[in-house]
């Protein structure tokens, strides 16, 4: 038995608003539409192709290829994606593989635009006093993850498990979990238990949730890995 997910998260873009005009970065396509602006401030790119290369897919209008059971970009669409993503190397200053690595570089002004950070990572930086940082969910849709609760058929105490899951789906508990784990709550009415400041950090508007592209495997993962290797080589 699977119950609703009590929490979820997004991967998208991040900006340092002290150095970047955030109006120029509202979509994946804006990474290329305003690329001259990024040359002076620099960008940092996630080494995971799910969170970086897919921005090129979305910018080209092939978002539907990321939906379904697998992310499947092929043929001419793949060649266009490859060429577009490699263009990012011209104004990329660094790559990051973890939340800690991203946080250190972003706070240290190594780059002022993040491509592919987690929303939780950016919120964590804001909570620590870096209020100039902002997470941007791309207009084309963000890559998302969820954590679901489930109960196995072989459970020896299903009533207790049911009560435990129901507890986490209470609005007040959902709100507390969002604040403590820095992750938005999917629990109905949890918003009512958050202050306005907390809503700004831990609440995601329904229109952004509807655009979420679920994180999932690639149909041909090797070619995505090969593209990342090509990108790193181009960086030098």
């Amino acid at each position: 038995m699977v119950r609703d997910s009590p929490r979820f998260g997004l991967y998208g873009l991040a900006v340092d608003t002290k150095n970047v005009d955030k109006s120029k970065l509202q979509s994946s396509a804006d990474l290329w539409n305003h690329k001259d602006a990024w040359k002076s401030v620099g960008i940092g790119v996630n080494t995971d192709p799910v969170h970086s290369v897919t921005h090129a897919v979305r910018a080209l209008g092939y978002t539907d290829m990321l939906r379904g059971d697998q992310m499947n970009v092929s043929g001419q669409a793949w060649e266009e994606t490859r060429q577009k993503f490699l263009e990012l190397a011209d104004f990329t200053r660094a790559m990051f593989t973890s939340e800690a690595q991203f946080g250190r570089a972003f706070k240290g002004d190594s780059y002022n635009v993040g491509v592919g950070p987690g929303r939780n990572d950016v919120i964590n930086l804001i909570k620590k006093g870096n209020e100039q940082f902002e997470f941007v969910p791309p207009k084309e849709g963000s890559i998302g993850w969820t954590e679901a609760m489930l109960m196995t058929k072989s459970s020896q105490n299903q009533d207790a498990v049911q009560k435990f899951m129901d507890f986490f789906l209470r609005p007040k508990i959902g709100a507390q979990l969002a604040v403590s784990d820095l992750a938005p709550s999917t629990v109905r009415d949890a918003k009512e238990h958050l202050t306005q400041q907390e809503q700004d950090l831990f609440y995601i508007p329904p229109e952004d949730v509807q655009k979420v592209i679920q994180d999932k495997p690639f149909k041909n993962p090797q070619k995505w890995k090969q593209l990342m290797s090509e990108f790193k080589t181009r960086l030098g």
Side-chain angles (χ1 to χ4, degrees):
M1 175 183 181
V2 179
R3 292 299 304 271
D4 293 337
S5 166
R7 61 195 293 270
F8 72 108
L10 306 176
Y11 287 90
L13 301 165
V15 295
D16 181 339
T17 59
K18 281 187 176 181
N19 299 303
V20 176
D21 179 357
K22 67 178 182 181
S23 68
K24 292 184 177 180
L25 190 64
Q26 296 297 308
S27 66
S28 295
D30 282 343
L31 287 168
W32 289 269
N33 293 339
H34 304 293
K35 59 184 179 182
D36 288 341
W38 315 139
K39 290 180 180 179
S40 60
V41 299
I43 66 173
V45 175
N46 196 323
T47 58
D48 187 335
V50 172
H51 308 310
S52 54
V53 179
T54 57
H55 280 286
V57 178
R58 286 170 272 178
L60 288 164
Y62 295 128
T63 303
D64 286 346
M65 291 184 171
L66 302 175
R67 303 188 186 279
D69 295 334
Q70 294 180 312
M71 294 186 179
N72 182 17
V73 183
S74 58
Q76 183 61 30
W78 173 253
E79 186 53 35
E80 291 177 25
T81 294
R82 176 181 168 277
Q83 293 296 335
K84 199 165 192 68
F85 181 65
L86 289 176
E87 289 178 17
L88 282 184
D90 295 337
F91 38 100
T92 295
R93 290 185 182 172
M95 303 190 75
F96 59 90
T97 60
S98 67
E99 173 187 351
Q101 191 177 24
F102 166 74
R104 287 194 300 270
F106 213 46
K107 288 192 297 182
D109 275 343
S110 295
Y111 44 80
N112 299 127
V113 173
V115 178
R119 185 181 188 277
N120 298 27
D121 304 343
V122 180
I123 296 302
N124 187 34
L125 292 174
I126 296 173
K127 287 279 289 181
K128 291 180 178 180
N130 303 284
E131 296 182 359
Q132 74 274 23
F133 297 152
E134 186 170 320
F135 177 81
V136 179
K139 289 181 178 180
E140 301 92 342
S142 300
I143 301 297
W145 57 265
T146 57
E147 291 182 349
M149 297 184 293
L150 60 86
M151 175 169 56
T152 64
K153 291 182 179 180
S154 60
S155 172
Q156 298 300 306
N157 194 341
Q158 294 193 8
D159 287 342
V161 174
Q162 184 66 62
K163 290 178 181 178
F164 179 78
M165 292 193 291
D166 288 343
F167 172 78
F168 280 104
L169 293 176
R170 295 177 185 174
K172 185 175 182 179
I173 301 304
Q176 291 175 350
L177 185 62
V179 174
S180 64
D181 284 1
L182 308 177
S185 175
T186 61
V187 177
R188 186 183 300 274
D189 297 327
K191 177 184 176 183
E192 306 306 318
H193 297 272
L194 296 170
T195 65
Q196 185 57 56
Q197 182 181 24
E198 289 172 339
Q199 288 181 32
D200 291 342
L201 293 174
F202 309 115
Y203 174 72
I204 295 180
E207 57 268 26
D208 288 341
V209 176
Q210 291 172 1
K211 294 179 183 178
V212 170
I213 304 160
Q214 189 65 37
D215 194 342
K216 61 179 72 70
F218 295 118
K219 184 172 184 179
N220 188 342
Q222 190 56 42
K223 71 178 182 182
W224 295 79
K225 293 178 181 178
Q226 184 177 344
L227 177 54
M228 288 305 302
S229 296
E230 190 175 353
F231 185 86
K232 292 175 183 178
T233 299
R234 187 159 174 170
L235 280 181

